[in-house]
Amino acid sequence: MKTAITVHMADRVKNLPPYLFERIDKLKREALKRGADLIDLSIGDPDIPTPEHIVKALQGAAQNPAHHRYPSYEGMLSFRKAVADWYSRRFQVNIKPENEVLSLIGSKEGIGHIPLAFVNPGDVVLCPSPGYPVYSVGTLFAGGFPYFMPLRAENDFKPDFTQIPEEIYKRAKLMFLNYPNNPTSACASREFFGDAIDIAYKYNIIICHDAAYSEIYYDGNKPLSFLEVDGAKDVGIEFHSLSKTYNMTGWRVGFAVGNKDVIFGLGKIKTNLDSGVFQAIQEAAICALETDDSVLCGIRDTYQSRRDALYDGLSSIGLTANKPDATFYLWSIVPEGFTSETFSAYLLEKAAVMATPGNGFGDSAEGYIRFALTVPVARIKEAVERIKKIL
Ligand SMILES: *Cc1c(COP(=O)(O)O)cnc(C)c1O
């Protein structure tokens, strides 16, 4: 009788940081099991369907046999042109479709892979904390060392570049930034991006700006592209995603834009690991990028009424939160006597309301909790009523 071999995980898997949402996930499963009417404000995934014209474009393109073969690695030229046109319309930034754009299988894919192109074992990558976990995990997979830049309320959730030691800057190869920010919802100014670019020139650091939420904004406060700022294209690239803008998280399509050598390096990794984005999805993405702004205005209005309902509701019961100018998140301070985790567990057990404990995004976010605006206004109001009863 042969028995199965013993499967040993590689060190890079064994050494992954602990998964901090385990306890909350367990409480969620228990709540669902006892049939609780859960209001889930923890999900960073739009509940609104993809606009009809984009779905139709996929249906048409899927029938074209030319798209059934391997796609081009860097994305179809027509897709890269559509990206360049979108940049020019939206940000007045000039992008060369030939060598300054790369298609991605969702921006997470590009963010996770980019350290493989530029980080040697022991090199430093500057990562925001709190932040999207992929920045540091991609760094670890490449053998790099994530150095966490705390985002604090007193700095308007920007890293304080004066607090980073000189020797860290000297060892740093990449810096990740993300504005509008998940989870804090802070937005960046031209001055802030300018400061980051100065650091990048001085220490030869590649900046990777994650702009996943650039189109989810309120009251006409259009976020900046990193590439709008002088010098940006000398030092870095910007990641974009169709996921949040067009409610296309399931489609897996995004792109990177900017410095041609950085785009080339990321492309080099990708040509050796994947074979690009299904061309029918690229066709649908072209159609998405040409979407009339009135459609996006409708989506923004939906989130804005939810934001107002949640912000007003939480304020009326004494919970402190920011009123975001962008993203679909409210970043709220937990009441006295609670930690991020005990408060989210309390909301879940006593009110069947689920929110994400801030410390799951990094140690610097202890004391915060993130509410996502991915449920209808009526449910948000109901959630506030329930929270009111237990506070
Ligand atoms: C959702 C999200 C992404 C990933 O988007 P995909 O294109 O769907 O992979 C990237 N960065 C941040 C900060 C996000 O919240």
Short mmCIF file of all heavy atoms in Angstrom, two decimals, residues 70-76 80 101-105 267 270-277 279 282:
data_model
loop_
_atom_site.label_atom_id
_atom_site.label_comp_id
_atom_site.label_asym_id
_atom_site.label_seq_id
_atom_site.Cartn_x
_atom_site.Cartn_y
_atom_site.Cartn_z
N TYR A 70 -4.70 32.57 -28.86
CA TYR A 70 -3.94 33.32 -27.84
C TYR A 70 -3.96 34.81 -28.16
O TYR A 70 -3.76 35.20 -29.30
CB TYR A 70 -2.48 32.86 -27.82
CG TYR A 70 -2.27 31.54 -27.11
CD1 TYR A 70 -1.74 30.46 -27.78
CD2 TYR A 70 -2.59 31.41 -25.76
CE1 TYR A 70 -1.53 29.25 -27.13
CE2 TYR A 70 -2.38 30.20 -25.11
CZ TYR A 70 -1.85 29.13 -25.79
OH TYR A 70 -1.65 27.94 -25.15
N PRO A 71 -4.18 35.63 -27.13
CA PRO A 71 -4.13 37.08 -27.36
C PRO A 71 -2.67 37.55 -27.50
O PRO A 71 -1.74 36.81 -27.20
CB PRO A 71 -4.76 37.66 -26.09
CG PRO A 71 -4.71 36.59 -25.06
CD PRO A 71 -4.53 35.27 -25.75
N SER A 72 -2.50 38.79 -27.96
CA SER A 72 -1.16 39.38 -27.95
C SER A 72 -0.80 39.67 -26.49
O SER A 72 -1.65 40.02 -25.69
CB SER A 72 -1.14 40.67 -28.76
OG SER A 72 -2.00 41.61 -28.17
N TYR A 73 0.46 39.48 -26.15
CA TYR A 73 0.88 39.62 -24.76
C TYR A 73 0.59 40.99 -24.16
O TYR A 73 0.11 41.11 -23.05
CB TYR A 73 2.39 39.37 -24.65
CG TYR A 73 2.79 37.94 -24.78
CD1 TYR A 73 3.67 37.55 -25.78
CD2 TYR A 73 2.33 36.99 -23.87
CE1 TYR A 73 4.08 36.23 -25.89
CE2 TYR A 73 2.73 35.66 -23.98
CZ TYR A 73 3.61 35.29 -25.00
OH TYR A 73 4.01 33.99 -25.09
N GLU A 74 0.94 42.02 -24.92
CA GLU A 74 0.88 43.36 -24.34
C GLU A 74 -0.50 43.99 -24.44
O GLU A 74 -0.73 45.09 -23.98
CB GLU A 74 1.94 44.27 -24.98
CG GLU A 74 1.73 44.58 -26.44
CD GLU A 74 2.33 43.48 -27.36
OE1 GLU A 74 2.55 42.33 -26.92
OE2 GLU A 74 2.55 43.79 -28.53
N GLY A 75 -1.44 43.26 -25.06
CA GLY A 75 -2.77 43.80 -25.31
C GLY A 75 -2.87 44.20 -26.77
O GLY A 75 -1.86 44.58 -27.39
N MET A 76 -4.09 44.10 -27.34
CA MET A 76 -4.29 44.50 -28.74
C MET A 76 -3.94 45.98 -28.87
O MET A 76 -4.20 46.77 -27.97
CB MET A 76 -5.76 44.30 -29.13
CG MET A 76 -6.23 42.85 -29.09
SD MET A 76 -8.00 42.74 -28.75
CE MET A 76 -8.65 43.37 -30.28
N ARG A 80 -4.84 49.28 -26.48
CA ARG A 80 -3.87 50.25 -25.95
C ARG A 80 -4.16 51.66 -26.46
O ARG A 80 -3.97 52.65 -25.74
CB ARG A 80 -2.45 49.79 -26.31
CG ARG A 80 -2.05 48.55 -25.47
CD ARG A 80 -0.69 48.01 -25.81
NE ARG A 80 -0.69 47.25 -27.04
CZ ARG A 80 0.22 47.35 -28.00
NH1 ARG A 80 1.25 48.19 -27.86
NH2 ARG A 80 0.15 46.62 -29.09
N VAL A 101 1.79 51.42 -22.62
CA VAL A 101 0.57 50.78 -22.09
C VAL A 101 0.75 49.27 -22.11
O VAL A 101 1.34 48.73 -23.05
CB VAL A 101 -0.67 51.12 -22.96
CG1 VAL A 101 -1.93 50.52 -22.35
CG2 VAL A 101 -0.85 52.61 -23.17
N LEU A 102 0.24 48.62 -21.08
CA LEU A 102 0.27 47.16 -21.01
C LEU A 102 -1.08 46.69 -20.46
O LEU A 102 -1.55 47.22 -19.45
CB LEU A 102 1.40 46.75 -20.06
CG LEU A 102 1.73 45.28 -19.86
CD1 LEU A 102 2.26 44.66 -21.16
CD2 LEU A 102 2.77 45.14 -18.75
N SER A 103 -1.70 45.70 -21.12
CA SER A 103 -2.95 45.16 -20.57
C SER A 103 -2.62 44.24 -19.40
O SER A 103 -1.54 43.64 -19.34
CB SER A 103 -3.70 44.38 -21.66
OG SER A 103 -2.95 43.24 -22.03
N LEU A 104 -3.54 44.15 -18.44
CA LEU A 104 -3.34 43.31 -17.26
C LEU A 104 -4.59 42.46 -17.03
O LEU A 104 -5.70 42.87 -17.39
CB LEU A 104 -3.11 44.18 -16.02
CG LEU A 104 -1.87 45.09 -16.04
CD1 LEU A 104 -1.89 46.01 -14.81
CD2 LEU A 104 -0.59 44.27 -16.07
N ILE A 105 -4.40 41.32 -16.40
CA ILE A 105 -5.53 40.43 -16.10
C ILE A 105 -6.11 40.89 -14.76
O ILE A 105 -6.04 40.21 -13.74
CB ILE A 105 -5.05 38.96 -16.07
CG1 ILE A 105 -4.26 38.65 -17.35
CG2 ILE A 105 -6.24 38.01 -15.94
CD1 ILE A 105 -3.51 37.33 -17.32
N GLY A 267 6.17 43.78 -18.55
CA GLY A 267 5.79 42.96 -19.69
C GLY A 267 6.68 41.72 -19.82
O GLY A 267 6.21 40.63 -20.15
N LYS A 270 5.43 39.14 -17.48
CA LYS A 270 4.14 38.60 -17.92
C LYS A 270 4.26 37.68 -19.14
O LYS A 270 3.59 36.66 -19.20
CB LYS A 270 3.17 39.74 -18.21
CG LYS A 270 2.61 40.35 -16.93
CD LYS A 270 1.76 41.59 -17.18
CE LYS A 270 0.63 41.35 -18.16
NZ LYS A 270 -0.31 40.26 -17.77
N THR A 271 5.15 38.03 -20.08
CA THR A 271 5.25 37.16 -21.26
C THR A 271 5.77 35.79 -20.85
O THR A 271 5.54 34.81 -21.54
CB THR A 271 6.21 37.72 -22.33
OG1 THR A 271 7.44 38.05 -21.71
CG2 THR A 271 5.64 38.95 -22.98
N ASN A 272 6.46 35.72 -19.72
CA ASN A 272 6.97 34.43 -19.26
C ASN A 272 6.01 33.69 -18.34
O ASN A 272 6.27 32.53 -17.99
CB ASN A 272 8.32 34.63 -18.56
CG ASN A 272 9.43 34.85 -19.56
OD1 ASN A 272 9.90 33.91 -20.18
ND2 ASN A 272 9.81 36.10 -19.77
N LEU A 273 4.94 34.35 -17.92
CA LEU A 273 4.03 33.72 -16.96
C LEU A 273 2.60 33.55 -17.46
O LEU A 273 1.93 32.60 -17.10
CB LEU A 273 3.96 34.56 -15.67
CG LEU A 273 5.11 34.45 -14.68
CD1 LEU A 273 4.83 35.35 -13.49
CD2 LEU A 273 5.30 33.02 -14.23
N ASP A 274 2.10 34.51 -18.21
CA ASP A 274 0.71 34.41 -18.67
C ASP A 274 0.64 34.74 -20.14
O ASP A 274 1.64 35.08 -20.76
CB ASP A 274 -0.22 35.31 -17.83
CG ASP A 274 0.03 36.79 -18.04
OD1 ASP A 274 -0.12 37.27 -19.19
OD2 ASP A 274 0.37 37.50 -17.07
N SER A 275 -0.54 34.63 -20.70
CA SER A 275 -0.67 34.86 -22.13
C SER A 275 -1.69 35.94 -22.45
O SER A 275 -2.32 35.92 -23.49
CB SER A 275 -1.03 33.55 -22.83
OG SER A 275 -0.02 32.60 -22.59
N GLY A 276 -1.82 36.89 -21.54
CA GLY A 276 -2.63 38.06 -21.83
C GLY A 276 -4.11 37.89 -21.54
O GLY A 276 -4.56 36.89 -20.99
N VAL A 277 -4.85 38.93 -21.91
CA VAL A 277 -6.29 39.04 -21.62
C VAL A 277 -7.08 38.54 -22.84
O VAL A 277 -6.79 38.95 -23.98
CB VAL A 277 -6.67 40.51 -21.34
CG1 VAL A 277 -8.17 40.65 -21.12
CG2 VAL A 277 -5.89 41.06 -20.15
N GLN A 279 -9.19 38.28 -25.84
CA GLN A 279 -9.40 39.45 -26.70
C GLN A 279 -10.84 39.93 -26.72
O GLN A 279 -11.11 41.12 -26.90
CB GLN A 279 -8.91 39.15 -28.12
CG GLN A 279 -7.38 39.03 -28.15
CD GLN A 279 -6.81 39.16 -29.54
OE1 GLN A 279 -7.53 39.30 -30.53
NE2 GLN A 279 -5.49 39.11 -29.64
N GLN A 282 -11.01 42.28 -24.10
CA GLN A 282 -10.37 43.54 -24.49
C GLN A 282 -11.32 44.39 -25.35
O GLN A 282 -11.39 45.60 -25.20
CB GLN A 282 -9.08 43.28 -25.26
CG GLN A 282 -7.98 42.65 -24.41
CD GLN A 282 -6.64 42.62 -25.14
OE1 GLN A 282 -6.20 43.64 -25.66
NE2 GLN A 282 -6.03 41.46 -25.18
#
